[in-house]
Amino acid sequence: MAKGPKAALITDTTFRDAHQSLLATRMKTEHMIPIAEKHDEIGFHSMEMWGGATFDTCMRFCGDDPWERLRVIRRHLKKTKTQMLLRGQNVVGYRNYADDVLIEFIKKAVFNGMDIFRCFDALNDYRNLEVAIKTVIDEGAHAQGTLCYAISPVHTVEHYVGLAKELEGMGVHSLCIKDMAGIIAPYVVYNIVRGIRDAKITLPVQIHCHYTSGMGSMAYMKGIEAGANIIDCAISPMSVQTSQPSIEVMCSAFEGTEYDTGLSLEPMIELADYWKEIRPLYASFDLAQKYPDAGILVSQVPGGMMSNFLSQLQQANALHRLPEVLAEMPRVQEDFGWPPLVTPSSQIVGSQAVLNVLMGRYKMCTNEVKQYMRGYYGRPPAPINEEARKMIIGNEKPITCRPADMLEPELPKAKETIAYVMEKEEDIISNAIYPQVAPKFLEERMAKKLKVDIELAKQSSQYYPV
């Protein structure tokens, strides 16, 4: 069936967020390549296959070069656009990096085959997206601006429409409503999308939900009905749980309506059969919840945060105090200006809630919490509780400028420290973002190549003895 003007478009997350959510981001490139061209033939809007946590885990755990992964997959996707998740000024790391790192990262990503950049900031402080969005546009790629979803007194429909207008003014090509915890309700999505459309914003709207609470597919249906255009889904064996809704299910749900995706289910069965064989290979990492977690609708604590809570409390022999931590969470979130619970703000707020319960309110604070209160992560959606700020950093005055304005260029030092193993300019960027991980990976990569060269030399000498 031909796609109509209201047809729902689908971004396939199987190569990135699906395995990040279900398999601790451990998927190796070698398991993506054999099926990549089959995914390419389906007719997806895009393939999300890079960014987020994949850059770190490629080097740290998988022995894969993240840049090589991008290049190889790009070669196999001849029809479908590539897409990545970019953490704004955090790039693909966990802190703000200097502008030279961010700019060069985007340039090299485009050069190596990236088409669509989903740019987000954990606080929805779009000063932290200014350089990212401008650079993506300047490089001729697609800049998608993100509204990170949260539930709080300040996160109203009007608030999100205001954010959408701000991103529209920055020149983005599309918008994304990002529900990282899987807690957005179907009619809330509907109201936000309708609010955006009523504000005469005509940019394409994409919806990203996790299935954690069990509401993801319903949220997608109401979002599309309200005027959204694109939804993030994964092939069925890599879907639901803490991943995204199933591609096949959403295609079937819209079949025969004005939102019909126009995609054929038959070739998707072949994809599903492949992933049914691959997922068990990662069984030791396959620890995601096996059923919808209704508790998250009450606590609003994503699964990853809950795991951290349990780990911290267990180490302190205080598991029985989990209810106190869950009660403390919204109090800390309010003190911190109601930040959305997404990396890195989720870790900052969550760790402090545990410390408050174990040690007393703000008696002990992490360095990240102090930096947050100093303004180095950006401006939260609501004012920070000044009494709490004073308990944490005393009479220090927080910065009011864009946090990255305080940073010196970082690439020169990053180049200097890996000169002995550097093979390409991308290695400098990898080292700048992950200085604790990249050198070891680059050393091992060089050792492997030397070993191969020696073996080839040995084989050659058998035929051409000296």
Side-chain angles (χ1 to χ4, degrees):
M1 178 177 173
K3 293 181 181 179
K6 291 188 177 181
L9 305 178
I10 290 179
T11 288
D12 179 5
T13 67
T14 306
F15 283 19
R16 204 285 296 180
D17 202 14
H19 74 90
Q20 179 171 323
S21 300
L22 298 174
L23 308 175
T25 331
R26 292 304 207 279
M27 189 70 68
K28 290 178 176 287
T29 308
E30 66 186 75
H31 290 137
M32 302 177 193
I33 297 310
I35 200 67
E37 291 183 13
K38 297 287 186 181
H39 279 264
D40 187 42
E41 290 293 330
I42 299 294
F44 296 124
H45 168 71
S46 62
M47 286 282 296
E48 195 212 29
M49 42 66 67
W50 211 55
T54 62
F55 200 91
D56 176 15
T57 55
C58 268
M59 295 188 291
R60 192 189 299 265
F61 301 117
C62 300
D64 286 348
D65 184 331
W67 298 100
E68 184 64 15
R69 173 178 291 189
L70 171 56
R71 282 193 292 271
V72 171
I73 294 177
R74 170 75 280 173
R75 286 201 296 270
H76 286 81
L77 299 183
K78 300 177 177 63
K79 302 177 180 179
T80 313
K81 291 183 182 297
T82 55
Q83 183 169 322
M84 75 161 292
L85 184 66
L86 183 73
R87 296 168 177 162
Q89 208 69 40
N90 293 171
V91 196
V92 286
Y94 303 99
R95 66 168 177 86
N96 281 331
Y97 295 90
D99 287 340
D100 65 331
V101 176
L102 173 61
I103 291 169
E104 199 59 28
F105 176 91
I106 293 170
K107 286 183 175 181
K108 284 291 186 284
V110 173
F111 175 78
N112 283 288
M114 184 50 59
D115 296 313
I116 302 172
F117 291 75
R118 176 174 294 166
C119 308
F120 84 91
D121 177 69
L123 302 183
N124 287 328
D125 180 355
Y126 295 150
R127 296 176 304 169
N128 292 330
L129 296 186
E130 288 173 1
V131 173
I133 289 171
K134 181 181 185 302
T135 306
V136 170
I137 294 171
D138 287 349
E139 291 300 304
H142 181 112
Q144 183 173 85
T146 307
L147 292 71
C148 291
Y149 180 72
I151 298 174
S152 83
V154 301
H155 288 93
T156 62
V157 170
E158 293 74 23
H159 175 79
Y160 288 114
V161 172
L163 293 176
K165 287 179 178 177
E166 190 175 345
L167 288 168
E168 181 186 39
M170 295 171 73
V172 299
H173 300 108
S174 64
L175 300 170
C176 174
I177 300 169
K178 179 176 171 63
D179 171 31
M180 47 281 170
I183 57 176
I184 197 166
Y187 287 99
V188 172
V189 177
Y190 185 92
N191 290 337
I192 293 173
V193 176
R194 275 273 35 103
I196 290 171
R197 294 304 184 218
D198 289 345
K200 308 303 181 188
I201 297 172
T202 59
L203 293 171
V205 173
Q206 188 156 357
I207 307 175
H208 173 87
C209 290
H210 290 253
Y211 210 80
T212 316
S213 70
M215 293 197 295
S217 55
M218 292 186 287
Y220 282 175
M221 291 198 78
K222 295 307 294 183
I224 291 292
E225 287 175 6
N229 311 93
I230 315 159
I231 51 179
D232 286 4
C233 305
I235 204 69
S236 52
M238 297 292 292
S239 70
V240 301
Q241 297 175 256
T242 51
S243 179
Q244 282 75 51
S246 158
I247 294 170
E248 301 96 308
V249 169
M250 295 312 304
C251 287
S252 298
F254 289 125
E255 188 176 359
T257 74
E258 60 186 328
Y259 312 114
D260 197 314
T261 64
L263 303 181
S264 174
L265 285 178
E266 282 74 17
M268 294 183 199
I269 302 305
E270 186 177 352
L271 301 186
D273 287 342
Y274 176 85
W275 289 107
K276 285 174 186 174
E277 297 296 322
I278 295 298
R279 183 167 174 175
L281 302 179
Y282 296 89
S284 59
F285 305 108
D286 199 346
L287 305 175
Q289 64 185 55
K290 300 299 188 285
Y291 45 81
D293 179 12
I296 197 173
L297 299 175
V298 177
S299 70
Q300 297 177 33
V301 174
M305 283 185 71
M306 187 65 77
S307 299
N308 290 338
F309 286 162
L310 295 173
S311 175
Q312 289 175 277
L313 291 172
Q314 189 170 36
Q315 290 173 20
N317 293 316
L319 275 175
H320 62 285
R321 305 194 70 179
L322 178 61
E324 295 175 64
V325 173
L326 295 179
E328 178 65 9
M329 263 288 300
R331 290 195 284 266
V332 174
Q333 203 178 357
E334 181 176 10
D335 285 344
F336 284 35
W338 294 111
L341 297 178
V342 61
T343 301
S345 58
S346 54
Q347 290 90 334
I348 291 170
V349 171
S351 295
Q352 193 57 53
V354 173
L355 289 173
N356 283 1
V357 167
L358 297 179
M359 307 292 182
R361 299 205 87 221
Y362 305 119
K363 297 293 185 185
M364 179 181 290
C365 301
T366 64
N367 185 58
E368 288 77 16
V369 165
K370 292 175 182 176
Q371 289 294 85
Y372 181 96
M373 286 298 179
R374 290 172 181 139
Y376 282 93
Y377 283 92
R379 182 176 54 219
I384 285 174
N385 181 336
E386 291 301 330
E387 186 178 324
R389 193 195 314 255
K390 189 168 185 178
M391 292 172 71
I392 296 168
I393 61 170
N395 293 319
E396 289 185 50
K397 294 294 181 186
I399 65 170
T400 56
C401 63
R402 185 181 72 108
D405 289 339
M406 307 292 290
L407 300 174
E408 295 293 326
E410 298 181 67
L411 288 179
K413 182 180 177 182
K415 180 178 182 178
E416 183 182 321
T417 56
I418 58 155
Y420 65 105
V421 285
M422 175 184 157
E423 293 182 5
K424 54 183 182 292
E425 290 183 353
E426 287 87 343
D427 295 340
I428 304 170
I429 303 168
S430 299
N431 189 44
I433 300 171
Y434 283 107
Q436 307 302 319
V437 177
K440 182 174 182 290
F441 168 77
L442 297 174
E443 288 170 5
E444 291 174 351
R445 185 185 68 183
M446 179 165 281
K448 286 178 186 176
K449 289 189 176 180
L450 285 173
K451 186 177 180 180
V452 170
D453 289 344
I454 291 170
E455 288 300 317
L456 289 173
K458 285 180 179 178
Q459 293 173 20
S460 177
S461 66
Q462 294 175 11
Y463 297 98
Y464 304 101
V466 177

